[in-house]
Amino acid sequence: MNDHVTLPRETAEEYAEWFRTLSDATRVQLLAWLARQGSPVRVRDVVDAFPLSQSTVSHHLAALERTCFVTAEKRGTSTYYAVNPACLSALPVAADQIMAGASGICCSPTLTDLPTQGAAALVTTQESR
């Protein structure tokens, strides 16, 4: 391996998978919605919150679970999903490592600058994060 490569290939591949998973706007919306829930929620509750079929919601939740963004817990006949608390710190650290400590807020709008239209639009202020 070249000395100038500071991010190990295995780590880069893992981060790339994370960002591929998050390259779908619906998954980002689902993750944002789950992050704002006070406790794990049933798939049915997720389906009720979004204009999507249960199979579509399940497909996206499975992708988020594969990359460890969410956890799934079977309770009887229902599966409950919640944001994996480790991802709340791991994702910003990954961005910081990729950008060599310079990620900051370089080119991303703050959450308060994002559009708020649509039933599933999930916007918060920086203070509530």
Side-chain angles (χ1 to χ4, degrees):
M1 180 179 285
N2 296 335
D3 289 337
H4 70 279
V5 177
T6 58
L7 189 64
R9 181 65 183 195
E10 184 177 299
T11 302
E13 287 175 359
E14 181 177 3
Y15 291 168
E17 184 61 29
W18 291 1
F19 290 110
R20 272 192 296 276
T21 298
L22 294 177
S23 69
D24 184 284
T26 299
R27 290 183 191 144
V28 171
Q29 287 182 306
L30 288 170
L31 188 60
W33 186 84
L34 285 169
R36 286 156 181 78
Q37 305 311 300
S39 59
V41 295
R42 298 175 305 155
V43 172
R44 175 85 261 153
D45 298 327
V46 180
V47 171
D48 290 345
F50 289 86
L52 304 169
S53 69
Q54 181 162 349
S55 64
T56 299
V57 167
S58 294
H59 167 78
H60 288 300
L61 289 173
L64 290 167
E65 183 183 10
R66 273 192 308 277
T67 49
C68 299
F69 284 111
V70 300
T71 59
E73 178 187 346
K74 282 292 252 185
R75 296 183 195 169
T77 59
S78 296
T79 301
Y80 285 73
Y81 287 89
V83 169
N84 181 349
C87 96
L88 297 176
S89 60
L91 191 58
V93 168
D96 196 53
Q97 286 180 347
I98 292 166
M99 300 303 291
S103 60
I105 57 169
C106 64
C107 58
S108 299
T110 64
L111 291 175
T112 56
D113 293 336
L114 296 175
T116 58
Q117 65 187 16
L122 301 167
V123 178
T124 186
T125 62
Q126 290 286 12
E127 294 82 34
S128 66
R129 289 200 307 171

